[in-house]
Amino acid sequence: MADGVKPRLTLAISEYDHVRDLVAGDVVVEGVDLVCLRLPVEEIFFRFTVFREWDVSELSLAKYTNLRAAGDDSLVAVPVFPSRSFRQSAIWIRADGPVDDPGALAGARIGVPEWTQTATVYARGALAEVHGIDLRGVDWVQGGTNEPGRVEPVALTLPEGIALRVAADRSLNDMLVEGDLDAVIAAHPPAAATDGSGRLVRLFTDYRAVEEDYLASTGVFPIMHVLVLKRAIYDEHRWVAMNLVRAFEEAKRRALARAFDANAPAFPIPWAFANAERAQALVGDDPWPYGLDANRATLSTFLRYAYEQGACARLLEPEELFVPEALQRFRI
């Protein structure tokens, strides 16, 4: 900070309760004049990946690791994870398909919106590791989930034996409904899964039980998005990185207090606090942990999945993802 003038930084992030107080200005990033942009994640990812329109951004973990593995060091990250989600629930089939029979997807035709969508990396990894699906035997199709024309935004180095073809003129939803695909892996549900028609359903009926079993057996609570900074900002103001971490931690602490409040629930969902307590029992005292140490198993598994699937050009270690200040034991 020169002559007491705070650097003015722009942050793009989606709507989450655990960043609400930071975006509203109730939690401040010490030493920073922060301007927050609240945008849909797809818009954030595209505009930042392609155009670098702001200084600090939420970003797909898969996109960031793809860039790092390819030698692009124009971005740095801190171990703040705005979005996490288990993704066995993101596998969709026709209602007359192999419900609760993941083994039936061996040799199947499976659509993905992007090979480097983080959700698809985790889901493919689980299909291979837990359910024995040989990813090389699948006919992979890339296209828009509900609208045709979606393209892969980063370069791929697919392993030998994995074939990925592009469907430019049809949506994955239509291809699945019409029988030209056997399954779709997508974070956003295909339209025919949510339109009341019942034509598309999840592969796993009791997906929560499947995902809880995956957590129990692997220790993995999937990280979807990570917080990144332009390297030029970090090089000029190294202290900004950990000040951002502290602010995001405080905003999350306030959100968790709301989530566990049984007296006056903050969320319009029955038993919201009970779900929070159940999650805490499964994940730990902090059910949404930041930092490297608490997330090493998840990050190591994701990086292995990404490398094995060709979403990353080389196998990264978790330490390679984050600024050195964040590699110490995470105590804020």
Side-chain angles (χ1 to χ4, degrees):
M1 193 186 321
D3 301 322
V5 178
K6 295 179 179 181
R8 185 179 178 87
L9 302 181
T10 50
L11 161 69
I13 197 155
S14 193
E15 297 272 7
Y16 303 107
D17 190 74
H18 49 279
V19 303
R20 186 182 84 183
D21 295 284
L22 185 148
V23 171
D26 298 322
V27 171
V28 299
V29 180
E30 185 178 355
V32 173
D33 180 9
L34 189 67
V35 178
C36 296
L37 307 172
R38 289 170 290 183
L39 299 168
V41 290
E42 293 84 2
E43 182 176 351
I44 291 173
F45 295 170
F46 178 79
R47 290 173 60 182
F48 191 74
T49 300
V50 178
F51 301 113
R52 300 289 200 273
E53 291 189 48
W54 32 78
D55 303 308
V56 185
S57 188
E58 177 180 7
L59 190 62
S60 154
L61 179 61
K63 303 295 186 299
Y64 175 64
T65 55
N66 175 278
L67 294 171
R68 295 290 287 179
D72 185 336
D73 66 351
S74 63
L75 302 174
V76 298
V78 293
V80 167
F81 311 115
S83 178
R84 313 178 72 131
S85 185
F86 293 92
R87 291 306 191 186
Q88 288 89 335
S89 51
I91 307 172
W92 307 90
I93 60 174
R94 287 186 302 282
D96 63 355
V99 176
D100 293 322
D101 184 12
L105 295 184
R109 302 160 298 173
I110 303 178
V112 293
E114 293 174 10
W115 192 257
T116 54
Q117 185 183 72
T118 310
T120 68
V121 174
Y122 279 110
R124 288 191 302 261
L127 284 174
E129 194 162 67
V130 179
H131 304 291
I133 301 299
D134 183 354
L135 302 184
R136 295 168 298 179
V138 172
D139 178 13
W140 296 103
V141 180
Q142 184 271 320
T145 303
N146 292 308
E147 295 180 3
R150 186 162 176 169
V151 298
E152 196 77 40
V154 293
L156 294 177
T157 306
L158 293 176
E160 184 177 354
I162 289 187
L164 177 68
R165 57 188 173 92
V166 175
D169 58 348
R170 298 172 66 196
S171 71
L172 300 180
N173 175 81
D174 291 348
M175 295 178 71
L176 181 55
V177 168
E178 294 164 13
D180 296 312
L181 289 175
D182 302 301
V184 166
I185 302 172
H188 279 291
T194 59
D195 63 3
S197 67
R199 292 175 294 174
L200 301 184
V201 298
R202 287 184 168 91
L203 171 64
F204 296 106
T205 305
D206 190 356
Y207 59 85
R208 180 159 181 168
V210 172
E211 292 171 345
E212 288 186 2
D213 285 347
Y214 177 75
L215 170 64
S217 63
T218 65
V220 172
F221 176 15
I223 293 167
M224 296 293 121
H225 307 163
V226 65
L227 191 71
V228 301
L229 304 78
K230 290 180 179 177
R231 177 169 287 278
I233 298 296
Y234 171 69
D235 287 343
E236 186 175 358
H237 307 290
R238 292 182 71 97
W239 51 270
V240 165
M242 293 311 289
N243 285 12
L244 280 166
V245 170
R246 291 185 178 91
F248 272 86
E249 272 285 357
E250 174 59 19
K252 183 189 71 172
R253 184 193 66 77
R254 297 183 182 199
L256 287 173
R258 290 190 288 270
F260 283 96
D261 185 357
N263 177 52
F267 306 101
I269 300 173
W271 304 290
F273 73 92
N275 278 317
E277 291 174 350
R278 179 177 177 184
Q280 187 178 51
L282 292 170
V283 179
D285 289 341
D286 181 353
W288 199 278
Y290 296 160
L292 175 58
D293 288 346
N295 292 285
R296 184 175 295 277
T298 294
L299 291 166
S300 295
T301 298
F302 173 80
L303 293 171
R304 176 169 55 83
Y305 285 172
Y307 174 66
E308 291 172 351
Q309 297 171 25
C312 284
R314 68 179 181 88
L315 180 61
L316 296 168
E317 295 296 328
E319 287 82 358
E320 296 181 73
L321 301 179
F322 305 113
V323 298
E325 295 90 335
L327 300 183
Q328 304 303 314
R329 184 168 179 82
F330 200 73
R331 288 180 180 152
I332 297 300

